Amino acid sequence: MTKTIGVGLIGTGYMGKCHALAWNAVKPVFGIEVTPRLAVLAEVDANLAKSRAAALGFAKATADWRTLIADPAVEVVSITTPNQFHAEMAIAALEAGKHVWCEKPMATTLDDAARMKAAAAKSGRVAMLGYNYIQNPAIRHIARLLDEGAIGQISHIRAEMDEDYMADLDAPFYWKSAASSGYGALDDFGVHPLSLIQTLVGDLSRVMAHQAKPFADRPARDGGRQPVENWDIASVLFETRTGVSGVMALNRAAWGRKGRIVLQIFGSRGSILYDQERMNEFQLYQASDRPGEQGYRTILTAPQHPPYDQFIPAPGHGLGFNELKIIECRQLLHLIAGESAVAVDFDAGFEIERTVHAMAQSDREARWVDLE
Amino acid sequence: MTKTIGVGLIGTGYMGKCHALAWNAVKPVFGIEVTPRLAVLAEVDANLAKSRAAALGFAKATADWRTLIADPAVEVVSITTPNQFHAEMAIAALEAGKHVWCEKPMATTLDDAARMKAAAAKSGRVAMLGYNYIQNPAIRHIARLLDEGAIGQISHIRAEMDEDYMADLDAPFYWKSAASSGYGALDDFGVHPLSLIQTLVGDLSRVMAHQAKPFADRPARDGGRQPVENWDIASVLFETRTGVSGVMALNRAAWGRKGRIVLQIFGSRGSILYDQERMNEFQLYQASDRPGEQGYRTILTAPQHPPYDQFIPAPGHGLGFNELKIIECRQLLHLIAGESAVAVDFDAGFEIERTVHAMAQSDREARWVDLE
Amino acid sequence: MTKTIGVGLIGTGYMGKCHALAWNAVKPVFGIEVTPRLAVLAEVDANLAKSRAAALGFAKATADWRTLIADPAVEVVSITTPNQFHAEMAIAALEAGKHVWCEKPMATTLDDAARMKAAAAKSGRVAMLGYNYIQNPAIRHIARLLDEGAIGQISHIRAEMDEDYMADLDAPFYWKSAASSGYGALDDFGVHPLSLIQTLVGDLSRVMAHQAKPFADRPARDGGRQPVENWDIASVLFETRTGVSGVMALNRAAWGRKGRIVLQIFGSRGSILYDQERMNEFQLYQASDRPGEQGYRTILTAPQHPPYDQFIPAPGHGLGFNELKIIECRQLLHLIAGESAVAVDFDAGFEIERTVHAMAQSDREARWVDLE
Amino acid sequence: MTKTIGVGLIGTGYMGKCHALAWNAVKPVFGIEVTPRLAVLAEVDANLAKSRAAALGFAKATADWRTLIADPAVEVVSITTPNQFHAEMAIAALEAGKHVWCEKPMATTLDDAARMKAAAAKSGRVAMLGYNYIQNPAIRHIARLLDEGAIGQISHIRAEMDEDYMADLDAPFYWKSAASSGYGALDDFGVHPLSLIQTLVGDLSRVMAHQAKPFADRPARDGGRQPVENWDIASVLFETRTGVSGVMALNRAAWGRKGRIVLQIFGSRGSILYDQERMNEFQLYQASDRPGEQGYRTILTAPQHPPYDQFIPAPGHGLGFNELKIIECRQLLHLIAGESAVAVDFDAGFEIERTVHAMAQSDREARWVDLE
């Protein structure tokens, strides 16, 4: 008899489709026994829900996400709606006894995030966040290298994340520039490099941040100019609980950068570099190499870097961004099965949220803020 | 009422799994109406067939590929078996009125390829080959740029393909070094850069090739040494029917190269570079840029390069090798629906085969061989 | 009649030889009328002075730098001794009516730097510092691009400088780790990226710094361990007087980095990248390029980027680190002739010193420090 | 007493200035005892000769190169005139008992090259050619790595040289497109990669070439179109005397390429990559690295790669193109002193010439041509 798991999907935008593709692919990629049963899809509009359900392979469609959560056919809920809805939906799903796979960030306020964390703890269900970059076989191999001391003791880390979707000076003001959407770069995407730092080096102990606006105002839709209410740029000094110093620099108005997340990890015996825009490679420098031939090795991901081997048996052929979500989906199923997994659960996710809010506070108060 | 198409898959190795993943993903990725119905999977062993069918989502399993072809539930057949079986299976499938999606190369002899081409013509069915590299949104955009004259008139082309799976001197002799497996680099993977040249510049008119063995013999499995019977290296001078000169260099014993396919296309107004190991970018140089700021632009693939947009709405996030097969699968469905598509059908594929055999002849006879 | 200028050189280490090579090359490279007459060389030891004078082409040698300064044949003095001697020597030379070309940084204390600045102002002589990185034709072209608005209004800047000469955990404690040598990365080489920021974007208005020690102690020469007294790592948040936010990150214990100085300059219409380890190229992204073909252009330095043309008439052939010093020497001669030049004089250099000390203060006091 | 050597320089164009800079710099860079005495400079016009002598530091000037050669103050003659004058001048200089440093290629005909070789043998003087790329510390280190078997036995080599000075379709016909100037890419710059192959792998045993014209004609200076008489593109298959197969591809109409010389050397245990446009680095892949961390190491030149250390004591700071000529000049002085050196003398240079002419013959006759 085949084991199945009933899936509900709320939201079908960028990340909603990404979840749907992962649910369709996780079984054939990993050759697992359990079969995801795509049960219910929710969208804001009934017709949209219906057409998306047809396209993405879901059996039922609804315009009411509460119906989805109440449906006994649904055992796990993918939440991919705008951030302000995460808390309500995740808590409701957990309270209904469903597992939750919620997109990052957790919520728009720290209170909401705290409530989500509490709900997860109380539910006894799996509550996982969508931090897909940590699932890259390259990142996982970097984690293994750090663990085994390939670059000695970590002494310093630099992280950058840059895109250019807010770079156009002439683009009209839209919701991402409103205070209601959050701090700006810090919570809009700073949580991504933070998830990588958390996975590879650990949580932060104190932070000193500075936020900046490249443009004071933007064209208003009704003519004139409208003041920008948050910060497209954020730069942060920090220390980790393990005593490692670091810098994190974020810019969502960085012309030319499309999906850049750069890590530079320095240690007492070498260093490691990573750039998400070339996500199928990473660089390793080892001081133990022969003098005269020391240099950064550009290593292409390969079957030696699991779970790359589940996708392609040949090295250097490359995974895509969407495939990281398939790996993440596999982790979720591990967790649901009570197995160990690489994942950011609501506890770990709450640490990331707490860190982001401490950064914003540091900027407001122009001082270092402790996190421990 | 939903439209479906019944799929049969023969073979579940490297490319077999890749086809299966594509069949699972093509509908949710492209949001198309037709639903692939994964009907029958064939493997050499009944048990293996059964377990693979379960893992990959196929309804039925068989150890007899003829049963698969005869099954009325099967409308299109994916053929991913070793090359020597392609002809027999493809011809049988076409004669049974099925559409065929056959992995490259067509066959191990030119005669077989000719029979496949004839069978396709006679059948009136779609017969497509698995040349997935031409499906890369980067390659498609390069094709558009060439068409619109972005680099002027093409004057020269260089193509390289290199991997290192035959590079290990100490690896024991195995079937890829036997004459029965073919010429070596030339047909083992030279057909890939040829498919790119064919798509971007056109077919070749004459060729002058040289094959070489990096190692004369390899360790025999029973001890001692066994002579290598084919050529891991092949280098070719050529001209296209449009009068463009070129070089193609192949090496499957190239330590350090994992999935390298490099194209350098020179024109009267600029040039274009591509490297499959960084398949999510390409480089463009335009002589019309301002002097002092001329340089190769590294362009990351983005929604402006369809069908990238069907996978991810954000630029620079990257597709993977397997996703090229999903795009290829979409082309197959276009062809079956009578729509235009980017594809190598059996006619175009036969040209590639003919070219490879002419290259081998050129090497044997140490002379230029005409193709027109 | 030929015009000449009498040159004195104090110190023949790393930078001393570099100055000597520049003095030998500046006339044939630039085809200028004035001929440097290599008059006197000073080293700590008379024999060493003599042999170095012979090798480097100087007419006389002395073990007493005051003799050199007093020599009427000397019109300009190159000062390349350890930093703690700069002030005394530069002030003496200026008071003796000589022009001064002094290596960076100015001095080990801000008081000394202030006295040097005052002495220069009083002397009416040329007093120039050895900030050679700003002389790179690539950097000069970047300056021109910024001036003409090629990337719009500058919105953010990131600067990094990393080397690995302090990275070896097992290397014995030496003077660079003693408090007497300065703060560490901050003044040891942070002045270099600061000179680039100053040249390209302007002086800083406020700074927030954090210094870190990758290793608390190092092997003492007499056995045991010796505490490290300064900081190999420094990270700084800053704003410029023109309101641009920025980050500067320094690490002289960065395994794998040899001469890395990376600049990322973001603007409202594009961005510019530079890496000193590939000093013969820079990257430009312009939002005005056609969508679909936007990307960083890698531009090789060429005769269009003066004074590259004075060295080589062909593009992309490359200058070396030492040749930046030849360009710097040319600037010095411009200044002496009363002509305009690209240079860091003692006034501009003092601003850099002031900034470095403000950074150290910021770290000590864990707060932002204003510079205006 | 100081040892000197009297230098004569014929020609002050691109390479003439480069020689002059090398003669000015060789002593201070290498700290050698012998002092080059810049004795006589010859240019076609007396006034030009005079002004260039003043700028480049030569004592006397002449419009008659025979006067220069006859001058007893001249002991070594730098010949940097257009190629058709090399033979006459070099032979005259050797017959006058002078050492000769002649720019590449040797001559425009193989007969002339043979006469030069004979003259050198008869003279007993040093006769060296200006193949500066082999002097790069990176190339020398690659040679050492190959010698010590770092990549095992060499199995294949690819060489490319590309520039774009003939790429502009609209540039008027000039002498480089005339048959009188030679074959085109083959002798114009193909000799450079040949010198690298000769140094690193050895001489060729047989060649198969194909030349191509990207443009059949070019704008004539008097209006209309003028047929192009030689080939801007040449591609060659070859084997070395040691049995290594290879490809050499040349294109002097390659938009975007400025000074590209790429080498790919494959061996049984690894591979090495080099690109002259990034002349301060090379890449090494070693199959002996741990699986999972194998990759090309990008190695920046450093003091461990002599004679880099004679220029700069710090790694990764970079040499320039002109500095290769200084190293070459040092080799010449070694040879004159009867010491061993890395150099292409007239015997080795003649092999390169012979190879180029065999390639042209191969193209004309459309067949492999043997060289042994």
Side-chain angles (χ1 to χ4, degrees), chain C residues 215-291:
Chain C
F215 316 123
D217 50 37
R218 288 178 180 273
R221 289 190 187 274
D222 58 358
R225 310 283 300 177
Q226 189 166 346
V228 170
E229 298 168 6
N230 56 18
W231 296 270
D232 294 329
I233 294 171
S235 307
V236 189
L237 311 177
F238 65 81
E239 281 185 350
T240 69
R241 292 184 196 173
T242 49
V244 175
S245 68
V247 180
M248 182 172 78
L250 312 169
N251 187 357
R252 61 180 191 177
W255 273 124
R257 303 305 197 181
K258 307 300 178 183
R260 187 174 187 253
I261 309 177
V262 162
L263 296 177
Q264 301 181 61
I265 308 171
F266 298 102
S268 58
R269 302 290 185 199
S271 58
I272 290 175
L273 310 178
Y274 175 77
D275 181 351
Q276 177 66 30
E277 281 183 353
R278 287 177 171 168
M279 60 174 272
N280 290 294
E281 58 192 66
F282 63 98
Q283 293 186 283
L284 171 66
Y285 182 98
Q286 288 183 298
S288 55
D289 282 345
R290 193 171 79 156

Side-chain angles (χ1 to χ4, degrees), chain D residues 61-339:
Chain D
T62 176
D64 175 15
W65 63 269
R66 292 189 184 277
T67 304
L68 180 152
I69 282 176
D71 195 316
V74 170
E75 295 162 78
V76 55
V77 182
S78 275
I79 300 173
T80 71
T81 52
N83 304 341
Q84 64 264 36
F85 302 113
H86 290 179
E88 187 180 12
M89 291 173 176
I91 292 167
L94 289 164
E95 287 177 352
K98 317 289 180 172
H99 304 294
V100 166
W101 183 14
C102 182
E103 268 312 302
K104 48 71 21 193
M106 285 179 89
T108 46
T109 69
L110 192 57
D111 276 356
D112 274 354
R115 291 196 301 118
M116 290 168 78
K117 175 182 164 176
K122 195 174 159 194
S123 72
R125 297 290 155 175
V126 169
M128 193 182 87
L129 291 159
Y131 282 105
N132 47 312
Y133 293 117
I134 65 170
Q135 302 298 345
N136 188 338
I139 294 294
R140 288 200 184 181
H141 196 72
I142 291 171
R144 271 190 300 275
L145 288 170
L146 296 175
D147 280 352
E148 72 177 43
I151 62 165
Q153 200 181 327
I154 301 175
S155 56
H156 191 56
I157 182 164
R158 289 195 199 130
E160 293 169 271
M161 183 161 183
D162 301 304
E163 299 198 8
D164 63 5
Y165 58 90
M166 300 301 279
D168 189 353
L169 180 64
D170 300 324
F173 188 99
Y174 84 124
W175 64 270
K176 285 236 174 195
S177 290
S180 58
S181 81
Y183 304 122
L186 212 47
D187 45 356
D188 195 20
F189 68 25
V191 295
H192 279 305
L194 279 175
S195 72
L196 289 164
I197 295 170
Q198 185 185 62
T199 296
L200 296 174
V201 191
D203 284 312
L204 306 190
S205 61
R206 59 193 203 107
V207 297
M208 171 73 224
H210 180 47
Q211 299 186 88
K213 294 180 190 184
F215 316 123
D217 51 36
R218 288 177 180 275
R221 291 190 186 274
D222 58 358
R225 308 286 299 178
Q226 188 166 346
V228 171
E229 298 167 8
N230 56 18
W231 297 270
D232 293 329
I233 294 170
S235 307
V236 188
L237 311 177
F238 65 81
E239 281 184 352
T240 69
R241 292 186 195 172
T242 48
V244 175
S245 69
V247 181
M248 182 173 77
L250 313 170
N251 187 356
R252 61 181 191 176
W255 272 124
R257 303 305 197 183
K258 306 303 178 182
R260 187 174 187 252
I261 308 177
V262 163
L263 297 177
Q264 300 181 61
I265 308 172
F266 298 102
S268 57
R269 303 287 184 201
S271 59
I272 289 174
L273 309 177
Y274 175 77
D275 181 351
Q276 177 67 29
E277 282 183 353
R278 287 178 171 166
M279 60 173 272
N280 290 294
E281 58 192 65
F282 63 98
Q283 293 186 283
L284 171 66
Y285 182 98
Q286 288 183 298
S288 56
D289 282 345
R290 195 171 77 156
E293 284 104 51
Q294 293 186 3
Y296 279 103
R297 244 176 283 163
T298 301
I299 300 164
L300 300 180
T301 46
Q304 287 94 336
H305 312 118
Y308 176 100
D309 56 316
Q310 299 296 311
F311 291 84
I312 312 169
H317 280 52
L319 302 188
F321 173 84
N322 281 345
E323 293 175 311
L324 303 184
K325 203 50 115 185
I326 304 174
I327 302 175
E328 190 178 283
C329 187
R330 179 71 191 93
Q331 303 308 304
L332 178 69
L333 294 176
H334 274 308
L335 292 177
I336 290 173
E339 297 157 7

Side-chain angles (χ1 to χ4, degrees), chain A residues 14 17 21 24 27-29 31 54-56 133 163 258-259 277-279 281 300 310-323, chain B residues 14 17 21 24 27-29 31 54-56 133 163 258-259 277-279 281 300 310-323:
Chain A
Y14 184 169
K17 181 168 180 178
L21 295 177
N24 274 280
K27 184 188 168 78
V29 166
L56 299 174
Y133 294 117
E163 301 199 6
K258 306 303 177 183
E277 282 183 353
R278 287 178 171 167
M279 60 173 272
E281 58 193 65
L300 301 179
Q310 299 296 311
F311 291 84
I312 312 168
H317 280 52
L319 302 188
F321 173 85
N322 281 346
E323 292 175 311
Chain B
Y14 184 170
K17 180 168 180 178
L21 295 178
N24 274 280
K27 184 187 169 75
V29 166
L56 300 173
Y133 293 117
E163 299 198 8
K258 307 301 177 184
E277 282 183 351
R278 288 178 170 166
M279 61 174 271
E281 57 192 66
L300 301 179
Q310 299 297 311
F311 291 84
I312 313 169
H317 280 52
L319 302 188
F321 173 86
N322 281 346
E323 292 174 311

Side-chain angles (χ1 to χ4, degrees), chain A residues 5-8 37-40 60 68 70-76 98:
Chain A
I5 182 163
V7 177
R37 205 177 0 87
L38 308 194
V40 190
K60 286 190 276 185
L68 180 150
D71 196 316
V74 170
E75 295 162 79
V76 55
K98 316 290 179 171

